C-alpha cells in the first residue's frame, strides 16, 4: 500500500486528492482524460472565469504556490495570495472562523507550507476544495502528469507500458508508483541505480532528483531500446503537470 503524504480527506474533500491513496481507478482515468482535453484546448477552456481562488503561502513565489496560481489563472480564475501568519492561521481560536470566511470568498484554497493539522482544520471548516502543496514529488498531480507524459510519448494503452523507478523499492516514490500501477495496469519495477544494478528493461525510467542538481522533481526518461539511450521528457513533464493541476481544479470546483 502506498504511503500517505497526509491523513485521508475523502470524507471532507473527496476530489482534492491529497495523496495517491485518495485515487480510485475511475478517478485516475477521469483526471487523465480531463488533463488531455485541457492540453488539446491549449488555453481555450476557461471554466473558472469569474471565480476567485486563494493561495496560502508565506513565500510569495513558492514553487507550489506558483504552479497552482498559474493553473488557476489559465482556467480563468483570479488568484489572491494570503500569508498564513498574517491571517492568524496559527491561532487555533481564530482559524476556524477564518476558514469559514475563506470558504465564503473563494472557490478553492491551495496550502503551500502549512502543517497537516492546520490544513485539516481549514479543509473541515472552509466548505470548499482545499489543496495541499501540488509541487511535491509524490503528489498525485505530479505522478498523473508523468503518466500522461508517458502515454503522450508512447501512444499506446497504459496497460502496455512499463516504468522503472530508479530508487529503493521501499521508498515513498516507488511505493506510490506501484499504487499507480495497480490502478492503471502500468507495469512498475523498482531498484536503485548503480554499477551492479541491471539495466532497466522498462519503456520509461523515473529518476529521483540527484543531490546538488538544484531540482526537487524526479526526471522522467523514455528508453530507446535500440540504442539504450534515455531521452529526458522534462519539458513535457512540466507542461503536463500544469494541465493535471488544472484538471484537478476544474473537477473539484462546482
Amino acid at each position: 500500500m502506498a504511503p500517505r503524504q497526509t491523513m485521508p480527506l475523502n470524507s471532507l474533500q473527496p476530489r482534492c486528492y491529497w495523496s495517491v491513496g485518495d485515487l480510485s481507478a475511475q478517478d485516475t482515468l477521469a483526471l487523465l482524460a480531463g488533463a488531455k482535453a485541457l492540453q488539446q484546448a491549449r488555453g481555450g477552456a476557461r471554466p473558472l472565469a469569474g471565480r476567485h481562488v486563494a493561495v496560502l503561502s508565506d513565500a510569495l513565489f513558492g514553487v507550489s504556490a506558483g504552479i497552482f496560481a498559474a493553473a488557476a489563472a489559465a482556467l480563468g480564475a483570479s488568484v489572491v495570495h494570503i500569508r498564513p501568519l498574517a491571517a492568524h492561521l496559527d491561532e487555533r481560536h481564530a482559524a476556524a472562523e477564518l476558514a469559514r470566511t475563506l470558504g465564503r470568498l473563494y472557490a478553492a484554497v491551495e496550502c503551500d507550507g502549512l502543517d497537516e493539522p492546520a490544513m485539516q482544520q481549514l479543509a473541515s471548516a472552509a466548505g470548499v476544495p482545499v489543496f495541499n502543496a501540488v509541487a511535491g514529488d509524490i503528489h498525485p498531480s505530479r505522478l498523473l502528469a508523468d503518466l500522461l507524459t508517458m502515454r503522450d510519448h508512447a501512444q499506446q494503452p497504459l496497460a502496455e507500458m512499463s516504468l522503472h523507478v530508479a530508487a529503493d523499492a521501499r521508498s515513498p516514490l516507488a511505493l506510490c508508483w506501484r499504487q499507480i500501477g495497480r490502478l492503471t495496469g502500468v507495469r512498475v519495477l523498482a531498484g536503485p541505480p548503480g554499477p551492479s544494478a541491471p539495466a532497466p528493461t522498462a519503456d520509461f525510467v523515473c529518476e529521483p532528483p540527484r543531490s546538488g542538481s538544484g531540482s526537487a522533481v524526479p526526471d522522467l526518461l523514455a528508453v530507446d531500446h535500440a540504442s539504450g539511450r534515455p531521452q529526458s521528457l522534462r519539458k513535457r513533464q512540466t507542461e503536463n503537470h500544469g494541465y493535471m493541476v488544472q484538471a484537478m481544479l476544474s473537477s473539484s470546483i462546482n
Side-chain angles (χ1 to χ4, degrees):
M1 187 70 177
R4 307 191 67 87
Q5 290 171 277
T6 58
M7 294 171 64
L9 277 201
N10 281 337
S11 61
L12 302 174
Q13 302 292 349
R15 292 184 293 177
C16 286
Y17 312 112
W18 281 23
S19 77
V20 294
D22 291 330
L23 291 167
S24 67
Q26 183 178 3
D27 294 331
T28 301
L29 294 178
L31 288 168
L32 285 170
K36 187 65 179 178
L38 289 162
Q39 181 195 70
Q40 292 173 335
R42 296 187 178 278
R46 295 174 65 82
L48 300 187
R51 309 298 290 273
H52 305 276
V53 302
V55 174
L56 295 180
S57 173
D58 278 323
L60 180 58
F61 300 107
V63 177
S64 286
I67 292 171
F68 186 89
L75 294 174
S78 60
V79 183
V80 175
H81 175 256
I82 300 172
R83 288 182 174 273
L85 291 179
H88 306 292
L89 278 178
D90 58 331
E91 298 177 12
R92 191 167 296 275
H93 67 279
E97 180 56 37
L98 179 60
R100 288 189 286 271
T101 300
L102 291 174
R104 290 192 293 269
L105 294 176
Y106 302 105
V109 179
E110 156 71 1
C111 299
D112 185 0
L114 269 68
D115 61 24
E116 183 176 334
M119 287 194 295
Q120 287 279 3
Q121 185 172 17
L122 178 61
S124 64
V128 297
V130 173
F131 293 80
N132 61 334
V134 297
D137 61 350
I138 57 173
H139 191 278
S141 65
R142 180 77 70 186
L143 299 175
L144 295 188
D146 283 358
L147 203 61
L148 178 61
T149 302
M150 290 162 58
R151 197 169 65 178
D152 284 349
H153 183 85
Q155 294 294 306
Q156 62 187 29
L158 296 175
E160 296 179 14
M161 295 190 295
S162 55
L163 172 74
H164 180 97
V165 182
D168 188 284
R170 296 165 296 180
S171 67
L173 182 63
L175 291 172
C176 285
W177 267 115
R178 287 192 186 279
Q179 174 67 3
I180 294 293
R182 285 189 285 271
L183 293 172
T184 62
V186 172
R187 186 166 65 99
V188 178
L189 312 170
S196 60
T201 58
D203 303 311
F204 298 91
V205 176
C206 177
E207 290 189 343
R210 292 189 179 92
S211 178
S213 66
S215 172
V217 181
D219 199 13
L220 183 65
L221 309 172
V223 178
D224 183 336
H225 292 297
S227 66
R229 295 175 182 171
Q231 172 191 353
S232 176
L233 301 177
R234 175 56 63 86
K235 183 175 185 295
R236 187 172 290 182
Q237 263 187 292
T238 301
E239 293 172 352
N240 283 344
H241 187 216
Y243 290 125
M244 187 55 68
V245 175
Q246 289 180 42
M248 288 186 170
L249 254 172
S250 59
S251 70
S252 66
I253 295 178
N254 297 320

